[in-house]
Amino acid sequence: MSQLGDVGQEKAGFSRREFDVRLANTRVRMQDAGLDALLVTDPANLYYLTGYNAWSFYMPQFLYVPAEGDLLLVMRAMDAHGTHHTTWLPSEQVAGYPESLVHRAEVHPMDWAATELRERGQADRRMVVGYEAEAHFFSVRSFLTLQRRLPEWDLVDSRELVNWVRLVKSEAELSLMRAAAAVSSHAMAVGIEALRGGRRQSDVAAEIQAAQAAGIGDAEGDYPSIVPMMLAGEGADTPHLTWSSAQIVAGEAVSLELAGAHRRYHAPLARTVSLGQPSAELQRVAATTLDGFEAALDLLRPGQTPDAAVAAWDAVLAKQGLSKASRLGYSIGIGYPPDWGEHTVSIRSGEETVLAPNMTFHLIAGMWMTGFGFEVSESIRITEAGVEVLTSAPRELIVKGDA
């Protein structure tokens, strides 16, 4: 390995052995899927396999993973120049396309990439090559250009192949997940403290974001994949809203959903705060949701699918005439904008994946009613016997004075 690769290995925070295991596991899945090679474009998967970490994913880039032989990281030349800061890859396995190809109508960076791959002997025979069809940053034009320029390739959907490799976390990854959870727990405490009637939502968001960036103790913060979500008043009946410059109204309830990030690993957390005495209906929905959440948490076990946990959750809600159409959770780990989910396992009825130790999930009970809502969530790890809750905040409808 080159000296640059050694530096990148150290800064990535994982041993070279861990990266070797990740690549080996990926290649086993590739073989099972009948793939001769794989194009990795999801920045979370690039990070997982190489340690590469920069805000370059808005431009065409990919990691070429052959069934055997050297990897090749292709990206904009100005970004390729700095890959040694984070990745273990030696310089000869990084190729940068020229600036003259950026945002041109008549030519595309993938034209250059196709030529580079052909010159490296990766298009001298018929090949089945997987691509990440659900990756946010693999454009239609990128796909069509590669399809046109490399007719020897049979391009097939890899169906989140690397994402599934990521599902079970190593001990090193779990350490980063716990640090991310410490950041999110701290940011949530800051957000709850900052909520007061008459304050602008944007000012509360600013305090939360400062806490996310600063981190706490030895757990330094990182930028999260999603901005803090703030559902205030009647807006609490709709998920995924963000803040505005509007004032927070005393007497209303506000739901906060955020994530702490640490070295790209994420631990989401959600809570609802009532600024004054909550309505009887909010109290009823909150109490039912919390009971259902605890029932589900108690039944998440290795060797089981999520069905029993979801059934317990549904049963608690049904007794109060309530239901939740959306899923109860999803796998988490590495995250880049615009999402912190892994796009693999969901906690919902009919999920066929058997839970295993060291899978990590965002278990989120969001009840979005009419004119109000209630959210509670935790980041969790499946253990040998049950669940480790990674995040920490009062698991209740939090009531503050209306002043």
Side-chain angles (χ1 to χ4, degrees):
M1 177 185 291
S2 71
Q3 183 179 4
L4 294 183
D6 291 335
V7 173
Q9 174 190 336
E10 180 183 353
K11 292 192 177 182
F14 298 102
S15 69
R16 177 60 192 271
R17 172 174 170 73
E18 176 137 352
F19 283 116
D20 288 344
V21 169
R22 295 174 180 184
L23 179 58
N25 290 340
T26 298
R27 282 176 161 157
V28 167
R29 281 187 172 264
M30 289 170 59
Q31 183 177 20
D32 291 344
L35 299 179
D36 297 305
L38 177 66
L39 289 177
V40 178
T41 51
D42 184 332
N45 292 337
L46 290 175
Y47 179 77
Y48 182 75
L49 291 175
T50 73
Y52 178 69
N53 181 26
W55 196 285
S56 60
F57 44 83
Y58 66 97
M59 297 296 293
Q61 62 179 28
F62 64 81
L63 178 70
Y64 178 75
V65 183
E68 297 179 345
D70 290 341
L71 310 183
L72 179 65
L73 183 59
V74 177
M75 56 181 45
R76 190 179 184 181
M78 68 165 59
D79 296 312
H81 178 72
T83 54
H84 63 276
H85 290 299
T86 61
T87 181
W88 61 263
L89 288 173
S91 57
E92 59 268 22
Q93 289 178 236
V94 180
Y97 55 81
E99 191 68 17
S100 60
L101 297 179
V102 173
H103 294 162
R104 295 278 295 276
E106 70 280 9
V107 68
H108 190 267
M110 289 301 179
D111 288 300
W112 185 95
T115 299
E116 182 72 16
L117 287 163
R118 188 176 296 281
E119 290 177 351
R120 291 178 182 243
Q122 299 302 317
D124 55 0
R125 61 185 175 88
R126 299 297 300 179
M127 297 175 63
V128 180
V129 179
Y131 69 96
E132 296 181 321
E134 285 285 345
H136 294 293
F137 300 103
F138 186 54
S139 70
V140 173
R141 190 177 175 195
S142 290
F143 171 82
L144 292 175
T145 302
L146 287 173
Q147 188 179 57
R148 173 174 54 82
R149 292 295 306 275
L150 296 170
E152 298 88 348
W153 284 11
D154 179 14
L155 287 163
V156 300
D157 184 358
S158 67
R159 297 183 179 272
E160 291 72 58
L161 186 149
V162 181
N163 302 61
W164 283 97
V165 176
R166 289 164 42 196
L167 186 58
V168 175
K169 307 301 183 292
S170 69
E171 289 302 321
E173 289 182 289
L174 291 173
S175 177
L176 300 187
M177 292 287 291
R178 293 186 183 100
V183 175
S184 57
S185 301
H186 171 60
M188 180 61 74
V190 168
I192 292 169
E193 176 63 26
L195 283 172
R196 291 190 299 277
R199 294 204 71 193
R200 294 188 307 171
Q201 294 178 20
S202 52
D203 292 330
V204 175
E207 292 193 34
I208 292 172
Q209 289 183 300
Q212 288 172 310
I216 183 169
D218 294 333
E220 73 268 16
D222 202 344
Y223 66 89
S225 299
I226 305 175
V227 299
M229 286 172 276
M230 189 178 303
L231 320 179
E234 292 187 359
D237 67 0
T238 304
H240 304 144
L241 296 181
T242 57
W243 70 85
S244 72
S245 60
Q247 288 190 348
I248 294 166
V249 178
E252 291 187 339
V254 180
S255 292
L256 297 176
E257 184 180 347
L258 54 84
H262 175 76
R263 300 184 188 179
R264 300 317 315 148
Y265 283 80
H266 283 62
L269 178 63
R271 289 294 188 270
T272 297
V273 180
S274 180
L275 300 174
Q277 182 63 27
S279 68
E281 185 62 4
L282 175 56
Q283 291 182 69
R284 182 182 78 89
V285 170
T288 303
T289 303
L290 289 162
D291 287 346
F293 189 91
E294 297 291 344
L297 200 61
D298 286 343
L299 289 175
L300 289 171
R301 293 288 184 273
Q304 305 289 325
T305 65
D307 284 289
V310 176
W313 155 262
D314 287 339
V316 171
L317 264 61
K319 289 179 181 178
Q320 291 294 322
L322 300 172
S323 64
K324 172 179 164 68
S326 56
R327 60 186 177 172
L328 190 57
Y330 48 85
S331 61
I332 54 171
I334 302 168
Y336 280 81
D339 189 15
W340 55 49
E342 282 187 325
H343 308 166
T344 51
V345 180
S346 291
I347 306 298
R348 60 185 170 197
S349 297
E351 173 64 57
E352 297 180 353
T353 303
V354 176
L355 301 177
N358 296 344
M359 290 181 180
T360 50
F361 296 95
H362 183 207
L363 190 66
I364 177 166
M367 297 296 293
W368 300 287
M369 312 304 287
T370 301
F372 75 98
F374 178 79
E375 285 188 52
V376 61
S377 81
E378 306 280 10
S379 290
I380 64 171
R381 173 180 77 94
I382 303 299
T383 69
E384 295 291 345
V387 165
E388 173 191 358
V389 177
L390 303 175
T391 39
S392 176
R395 198 181 301 161
E396 59 189 26
L397 172 59
I398 299 166
V399 180
K400 293 182 62 176
D402 58 5

